[in-house]
Amino acid sequence: MKKIAKAALGLMLMAGTAFAQKQTLDKVAAVVGNSPILQSDIELQYARYQAEGGTPNPDIKCQIMQTLISQKLLGQQAVIDSVQVKDEEVDNEVDRRMRGMIQRAGGQERLEGFLGRSVIQYKDEIRDDLHEQLVAQRMREKIIEKLNVTPQEVKEFFEKIPKDSLPTINKEVEVGEIVFQPKLTKEEKAVYKQKAEDLRARVKKGEDFASLARLYSQDGSAAEGGDLGFADRNTYVKEFAAYAFKLKAGEISPVFETDFGFHFLQVIERRGEQVHVRHILIVPVPTEASLSRANHMADSIYTVMKKNKAIDFSSAAAYYSDNKETKYNGGMMLNLEDVQSRSTLIPTDKLDPQVALVIDTMKVGEFSKPQLLTEKDGKKDYKILYLKSVTDAHKASIEKDFPKLKEQAYNAKMSRMISEWFERKRKETYIRIDEQNAACPQLKGWASTTTAQAN
């Protein structure tokens, strides 16, 4: 803990020093169109890089300069194309950054001490920078919004890879699960609900909400006094959203239950379709009796599935599984490193070791007896596992690995498109770089050869 606190202190002190520099340094490091880039902007980002554990390296400043010039080019095109970022989006990003910093610092008061300014002041200072970053990101998305790759392009991409350079694809498996979570009875839950009720009563009597949240709340927002920042209705489960968007600023909800446990919340501020709330969460702990009931249920379903071959695994998962993320996917686990494509092919070295141990002795098409497994959050549940397929390690081929190759072809095409866009914009836009930064290899050819201003 001391090491973490020391690292957090260093991060905040360096960030504070960098912002102090920004107040005093006014040297123009570059000009893009009519937009200046200050040397203090570069020093600020370099200080953040070091504060987050980066090794001191002057070359990083060159990368930062290239990023800032790119942001200016994207931002100027965004104005032409009417690409905008709403104030609420910027507010959300500012709040997200601040929540992370407050958590690392060990509280808002400590953070303000490190920065030498209030959180409100700091938010104002970083808001314009974050707005520019979000606009650039949105413009980059617009540039590639119609990008796609055809099967023929994937084939051509694959054929250009030298045969002796074909990547080796690790052994992969497809694994399904039917999850049986231990469920508490109303009587077993009562003690946890009462704990939440007691804390709510203390808040109503005048005790500080944030202090009680730091001491007793059982989720990631506890370190921030239960503060969840601004969010829209879709961010929360329906029970939570119902109170968050019904109450007025300052009002406190009754204790209510969600899949996460027992909560009560307080609305801090409402802005249109977004609300700023804080809450306290009490999480019920499964009992031995609830685990026993889950085991009995899992055994019963396993017996039925073994006897009745007409019951397919995906139907059983959809009907019985308590995992909402996999039950509507035929029970199939997703590759967490490739969630965007919703791939069910999981490299065995990325598989949960507990699951890997169970399926190691299974044949394709088999499902296991119920197994008591521990999730990443420490919760235990019973699972029936199903081995759908096994693909042994092999050299990449168009037949077996088309989805992976399609993704690689897409990324390569996207990189070319972005590079070509910047190449055009660099030629069309007046760019001046001072002598200190012009030596950067990354910026070779970026500066304009003429002093004429861009249109």
Side-chain angles (χ1 to χ4, degrees):
M1 290 299 291
K2 288 182 179 178
K3 288 183 178 180
I4 295 173
K6 186 177 180 181
L9 175 61
L11 186 154
M12 305 310 168
L13 286 175
M14 292 181 73
T17 300
F19 268 106
Q21 291 175 338
K22 191 169 183 177
Q23 300 299 319
T24 57
L25 295 177
D26 58 4
K27 177 183 177 182
V28 177
V31 177
V32 182
N34 293 317
S35 301
I37 295 174
L38 300 180
Q39 187 64 35
S40 58
D41 294 324
I42 300 171
E43 299 300 336
L44 167 61
Q45 294 205 22
Y46 185 63
R48 286 177 179 165
Y49 158 79
Q50 287 185 283
E52 293 171 2
T55 304
N57 181 358
D59 291 341
I60 297 298
K61 292 185 181 182
C62 291
Q63 296 176 24
I64 292 170
M65 171 66 96
Q66 184 182 34
T67 298
L68 291 175
I69 292 176
S70 299
Q71 282 182 191
K72 295 293 184 185
L73 289 171
L74 289 164
Q76 289 166 15
Q77 186 64 40
V79 173
I80 296 171
D81 291 356
S82 300
V83 173
Q84 298 178 342
V85 171
K86 295 180 180 178
D87 288 342
E88 291 85 352
E89 295 176 82
V90 181
D91 290 338
N92 285 343
E93 182 62 15
V94 171
D95 288 338
R96 186 187 71 81
R97 298 282 183 95
M98 292 311 305
R99 288 198 299 273
M101 293 182 71
I102 289 171
Q103 186 173 11
R104 289 194 296 272
Q108 182 170 325
E109 290 184 6
R110 292 192 68 193
L111 174 61
E112 292 179 337
F114 298 152
L115 295 175
R117 59 185 37 80
S118 70
V119 164
I120 293 175
Q121 288 175 308
Y122 188 83
K123 282 183 175 182
D124 287 341
E125 290 171 335
I126 67 173
R127 196 177 193 284
D128 288 345
D129 289 340
L130 291 181
H131 178 265
E132 188 171 86
Q133 290 176 28
L134 291 174
V135 169
Q137 177 181 322
R138 188 66 50 81
M139 186 62 224
R140 188 183 290 266
E141 291 169 357
K142 180 177 174 59
I143 293 170
I144 62 171
E145 64 183 355
K146 296 181 180 179
L147 177 65
N148 194 12
V149 289
T150 65
Q152 180 61 30
E153 287 176 312
V154 177
K155 184 174 183 292
E156 290 171 358
F157 171 81
F158 175 74
E159 290 174 347
K160 288 179 181 179
I161 302 175
K163 298 304 179 185
D164 58 355
S165 299
L166 287 174
T168 298
I169 307 299
N170 292 335
K171 181 179 179 180
E172 295 177 321
V173 293
E174 288 184 293
V175 181
E177 63 177 4
I178 303 176
V179 181
F180 302 87
Q181 297 172 346
K183 299 179 178 65
L184 300 183
T185 64
K186 185 176 180 179
E187 293 73 20
E188 290 170 333
K189 289 180 180 179
V191 62
Y192 301 100
K193 183 179 181 182
Q194 188 59 51
K195 184 176 181 180
E197 294 282 9
D198 292 343
L199 289 169
R200 181 179 182 275
R202 290 171 65 176
V203 171
K204 296 288 285 186
K205 289 178 181 178
E207 290 193 52
D208 183 61
F209 193 114
S211 296
L212 290 175
R214 291 188 186 98
L215 288 171
Y216 299 107
S217 190
Q218 296 174 284
D219 82 332
S221 71
E224 301 159 45
D227 194 328
L228 297 174
F230 278 95
D232 59 31
R233 189 182 298 271
N234 294 330
T235 302
Y236 303 119
V237 293
K238 62 180 181 179
E239 300 92 346
F240 196 101
Y243 283 110
F245 285 86
K246 180 174 70 174
L247 300 177
K248 297 177 182 178
E251 289 186 330
I252 298 174
S253 75
V255 171
F256 59 94
E257 184 180 7
T258 70
D259 289 342
F260 300 100
F262 291 99
H263 313 245
F264 64 92
L265 64 84
Q266 181 180 40
V267 174
I268 299 174
E269 185 182 354
R270 178 81 178 269
R271 292 181 188 168
E273 294 304 310
Q274 294 200 323
V275 66
H276 182 186
V277 302
R278 56 185 175 188
H279 79 138
I280 291 178
L281 169 67
I282 301 300
V283 180
V285 178
T287 62
E288 288 299 322
S290 67
L291 279 168
S292 179
R293 291 192 296 270
N295 187 19
H296 178 72
M297 180 66 174
D299 281 337
S300 299
I301 301 305
Y302 172 78
T303 300
V304 170
M305 291 173 65
K306 289 293 284 185
K307 288 182 177 179
N308 189 346
K309 302 297 183 181
I311 300 178
D312 65 281
F313 189 89
S314 60
S315 298
Y319 194 80
Y320 295 109
S321 183
D322 292 322
N323 187 325
K324 295 180 180 179
E325 294 182 2
T326 59
K327 69 179 297 178
Y328 301 117
N329 191 43
M332 302 308 298
M333 299 178 183
L334 293 177
N335 181 349
L336 297 181
E337 295 190 350
D338 193 14
V339 174
Q340 189 172 0
S341 67
R342 295 191 63 79
S343 173
T344 56
L345 291 168
I346 305 174
T348 52
D349 60 334
K350 303 297 182 183
L351 199 62
D352 182 332
Q354 302 170 100
V355 174
L357 185 63
V358 175
I359 68 167
D360 187 54
T361 57
M362 293 170 57
K363 296 179 181 179
V364 172
E366 289 184 342
F367 53 87
S368 71
K369 292 181 178 179
Q371 307 288 322
L372 179 61
L373 303 179
T374 303
E375 304 289 359
K376 290 183 179 179
D377 60 5
K379 294 181 180 179
K380 295 183 177 182
D381 44 37
Y382 282 89
K383 295 184 179 184
I384 296 174
L385 300 176
Y386 167 63
L387 184 59
K388 181 179 180 180
S389 73
V390 175
T391 304
D392 291 327
H394 61 281
K395 287 289 185 179
S397 71
I398 197 75
E399 294 80 13
K400 292 182 178 180
D401 307 298
F402 186 85
K404 292 185 179 66
L405 292 168
K406 182 179 180 181
E407 182 180 1
Q408 292 177 22
Y410 176 89
N411 290 336
K413 188 175 180 180
M414 177 178 65
S415 180
R416 288 196 306 273
M417 179 178 285
I418 294 292
S419 295
E420 289 167 1
W421 186 91
F422 276 116
E423 186 64 27
R424 290 195 304 273
K425 287 300 166 185
R426 278 163 34 185
K427 294 177 179 178
E428 296 170 3
T429 307
Y430 170 76
I431 300 175
R432 179 174 64 80
I433 303 172
D434 75 336
E435 292 182 3
Q436 178 180 343
N437 296 287
C440 290
Q442 296 93 328
L443 300 177
K444 185 178 180 180
W446 280 68
S448 302
T449 57
T450 175
T451 57
Q453 291 288 331
N455 294 329

